[in-house]
Amino acid sequence: MTKTNKIIYWISTCWLALGMVSTGMVQLLRVQSEGALSPPGVYGIKQLGYPVYLLTILGVWKLLGAVAVLIPKFPVLKEWAYAGFFFLTTGAIFSHIATDHPLAAMWPAAMLLVLTMISLYFRPASRRTAAVRA
């Protein structure tokens, strides 16, 4: 792995983890900000038509996933975390599309999806499963 690839991996992974931790905390604390472009708190989840208790589930998953992609070893756990982030962000994007929200409302989820894909692509061999390394 080249030095450039390592730098790309760590920058994208740290930004991904930061984004997941920050939005996960907003969801766990059930922030009540209003507006179509507000963080994914109570107002946002209600606008998408989901029950408020889903915030707790999503927040916990985001925090655990951020830890999983940052810690060394456990490549299978990392695969699950990346898959979870992929499903979470694409689900958020399509939820915004289904409820006719403006494109700007999808921007945070789209950025986290891009960071997920970049981090997944550039991860070092030590953070991949044996089947992917071969």
Side-chain angles (χ1 to χ4, degrees):
M1 174 174 238
T2 67
K3 185 176 182 177
T4 304
N5 287 357
K6 283 183 184 179
I7 291 170
I8 292 170
Y9 168 75
W10 279 110
I11 289 173
S12 63
T13 303
C14 288
W15 276 103
L16 172 64
L18 179 65
M20 290 298 177
V21 167
S22 63
T23 57
M25 291 303 296
V26 165
Q27 291 169 335
L28 284 175
L29 296 173
R30 298 193 180 191
V31 174
Q32 298 262 359
S33 59
E34 290 190 25
L37 303 178
S38 64
V42 174
Y43 178 80
I45 206 82
K46 285 181 179 178
Q47 290 295 313
L48 293 173
Y50 295 113
V52 175
Y53 67 81
L54 189 62
L55 290 173
T56 303
I57 297 167
L58 295 175
V60 168
W61 284 347
K62 285 180 177 184
L63 295 177
L64 292 175
V67 170
V69 297
L70 290 175
I71 61 172
K73 309 219 179 175
F74 307 106
V76 174
L77 184 62
K78 288 181 193 321
E79 294 285 332
W80 280 90
Y82 281 119
F85 288 165
F86 179 82
F87 295 134
L88 182 100
T89 54
T90 55
I93 291 167
F94 285 108
S95 293
H96 284 292
I97 291 170
T99 54
D100 294 323
H101 282 176
L103 286 175
M106 296 172 229
W107 179 248
M111 281 306 301
L112 288 173
L113 176 61
V114 168
L115 288 170
T116 299
M117 301 310 292
I118 292 171
S119 176
L120 180 66
Y121 181 80
F122 284 101
R123 68 203 152 123
S126 64
R127 292 175 174 258
R128 297 174 185 239
T129 59
V132 175
R133 281 185 232 149

